């Protein structure tokens, strides 16, 4: 069965620190990959998505993610986090059906 | 902007009650989804609908049913609420074609079953 793993459940960083959140999936075929973010008290919303040939994807608010097919990974990065990035981040995979498989989420807390 | 609205932000119900959660989207999306979100478990798909009156079971359909009588509205029904159904329920919608499609989420309904 398809699955998505987010190994970091809780991350605490100081402002200006660099961020990398891990996401690994288990599926050998073509996939579409997504990162969603849920700010405190807000809707889950799309941060970025991969579905093209370019493995480096730029998203909103300075986030980016790199798709490494050989490692089945789609890690989220930001060079310098802000207090406003405090949120829960979800990685999701879709492999050609209606089903989107979500990871268990990573709670990021950024200290001012 | 796509808007997905859910009828209630918070609900408190008693064990055994029949519970209706309503979701409406205003972008003419074909696909609609119901998930539950629990700490440490992420989002789990309960049911999916790809057209009016059409539905597919997700990963955890037991204890739930759904109704889609109109394209814009997708209802989740807890036939007889139980305490283990206490959770955050999220509705989402997306366009039909292409699995590249972004899902748009509602604000969620936090349900407490006593």
């Amino acid at each position: 069965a398809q699955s998505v793993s987010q190994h970091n459940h809780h991350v605490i960083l100081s402002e200006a620190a660099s961020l990398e959140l891990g996401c690994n999936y288990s599926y050998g075929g073509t996939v579409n990959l997504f990162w969603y973010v849920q700010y405190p008290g807000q809707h889950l919303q799309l941060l970025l998505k991969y579905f093209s040939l370019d493995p480096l994807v730029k998203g909103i608010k300075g986030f980016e993610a790199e798709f490494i097919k050989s490692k089945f990974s789609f890690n989220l990065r930001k060079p310098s986090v802000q207090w406003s990035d405090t949120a829960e981040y979800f990685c999701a995979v879709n492999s050609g059906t209606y089903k989107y498989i979500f990871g268990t989420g990573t709670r990021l807390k950024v200290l001012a | 902007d796509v808007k997905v609205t859910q009828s209630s932000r918070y609900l408190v119900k008693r064990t055994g009650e029949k519970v209706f959660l309503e979701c409406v989207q205003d972008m003419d999306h074909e696909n609609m989804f119901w998930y539950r979100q629990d700490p440490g478990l992420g989002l789990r798909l309960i049911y999916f609908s790809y057209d009016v009156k059409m539905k597919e079971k997700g990963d955890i359909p037991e204890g739930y049913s759904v109704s889609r009588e109109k394209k814009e509205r997708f209802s989740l029904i807890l036939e007889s609420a139980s305490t283990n159904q206490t959770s955050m329920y999220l509705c989402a919608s997306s366009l039909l074609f292409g699995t590249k499609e972004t899902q748009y989420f509602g604000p969620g309904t936090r349900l407490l079953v006593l």
Side-chain angles (χ1 to χ4, degrees), chain A residues 32 34 36 38 41-46 49 51 88 90 94-105 107, chain B residues 4 9 33 35 37 39-43 45 48 56-59 90 94 98-103 105-107:
Chain A
N32 297 301
F34 306 79
Y36 284 86
Q38 189 171 34
Q42 294 190 26
H43 301 200
L44 204 64
Q45 58 186 284
L46 183 72
K49 61 181 176 181
F51 56 88
E88 190 162 17
F90 293 91
N94 182 295
S95 60
T97 71
Y98 63 85
K99 276 184 82 170
Y100 295 74
I101 309 296
F102 284 81
T104 53
R107 284 185 188 269
Chain B
V4 180
R9 293 298 302 269
F33 308 78
Y35 294 91
Q37 182 182 9
L41 296 178
L43 276 70
L45 182 65
F48 158 74
E56 294 280 348
K57 291 180 181 180
D59 297 317
L90 297 180
S94 71
T99 55
K100 308 172 180 56
E101 293 303 331
T102 301
Q103 289 191 307
F105 286 85

Side-chain angles (χ1 to χ4, degrees), chain B:
Chain B
D1 265 358
V2 176
K3 198 162 184 183
V4 180
T5 56
Q6 295 183 229
S7 51
S8 306
R9 293 298 302 269
Y10 301 94
L11 270 181
V12 180
K13 296 291 181 181
R14 297 209 172 270
T15 302
E17 280 192 77
K18 192 168 186 176
V19 182
F20 292 87
L21 303 182
E22 304 283 337
C23 175
V24 178
Q25 51 95 2
D26 66 357
M27 283 301 291
D28 205 35
H29 284 172
E30 284 81 3
N31 293 346
M32 295 188 76
F33 308 78
W34 275 107
Y35 294 91
R36 62 178 283 177
Q37 182 182 9
D38 299 289
L41 296 178
L43 276 70
R44 293 179 291 165
L45 182 65
I46 304 172
Y47 266 99
F48 158 74
S49 169
Y50 54 91
D51 201 351
V52 174
K53 297 191 187 295
M54 306 305 288
K55 62 186 179 186
E56 294 280 348
K57 291 180 181 180
D59 297 317
I60 50 165
E62 297 79 19
Y64 303 94
S65 63
V66 290
S67 172
R68 191 153 180 215
E69 297 296 322
K70 293 185 178 180
K71 190 175 185 180
E72 67 272 16
R73 189 180 296 269
F74 192 34
S75 303
L76 180 69
I77 303 149
L78 285 66
E79 298 290 344
S80 177
S82 63
T83 54
N84 62 14
Q85 293 178 309
T86 291
S87 187
M88 170 71 91
Y89 290 88
L90 297 180
C91 176
S93 72
S94 71
L95 285 170
L96 176 62
F97 294 109
T99 55
K100 308 172 180 56
E101 293 303 331
T102 301
Q103 289 191 307
Y104 295 88
F105 286 85
T109 296
R110 192 169 291 280
L111 173 66
L112 173 63
V113 182
L114 300 174

Side-chain angles (χ1 to χ4, degrees), chain A residues 7 18 35 37 60 70 76 97 108:
Chain A
H7 307 293
S18 65
W35 275 98
V37 61
I60 60 171
S70 60
L76 182 70
T97 71
L108 171 66

Side-chain angles (χ1 to χ4, degrees), chain A residues 30-103:
Chain A
T30 302
V31 291
N32 297 301
L33 298 156
F34 306 79
W35 275 98
Y36 284 86
V37 61
Q38 189 171 34
Y39 297 103
Q42 294 190 26
H43 301 200
L44 204 64
Q45 58 186 284
L46 183 72
L47 201 54
L48 50 80
K49 61 181 176 181
Y50 166 81
F51 56 88
S52 67
L53 295 175
D54 188 348
L56 189 62
V57 182
K58 303 278 187 189
I60 60 171
K61 303 188 180 186
F63 285 91
E64 65 178 33
E66 186 176 10
F67 172 49
I68 304 180
K69 191 174 181 181
S70 60
K71 294 185 177 180
F72 298 90
S73 71
F74 189 55
N75 292 354
L76 182 70
R77 300 194 294 241
K78 186 171 184 179
S80 176
V81 294
Q82 300 173 311
W83 177 81
S84 58
D85 293 325
T86 293
E88 190 162 17
Y89 294 81
F90 293 91
C91 182
V93 170
N94 182 295
S95 60
T97 71
Y98 63 85
K99 276 184 82 170
Y100 295 74
I101 309 296
F102 284 81

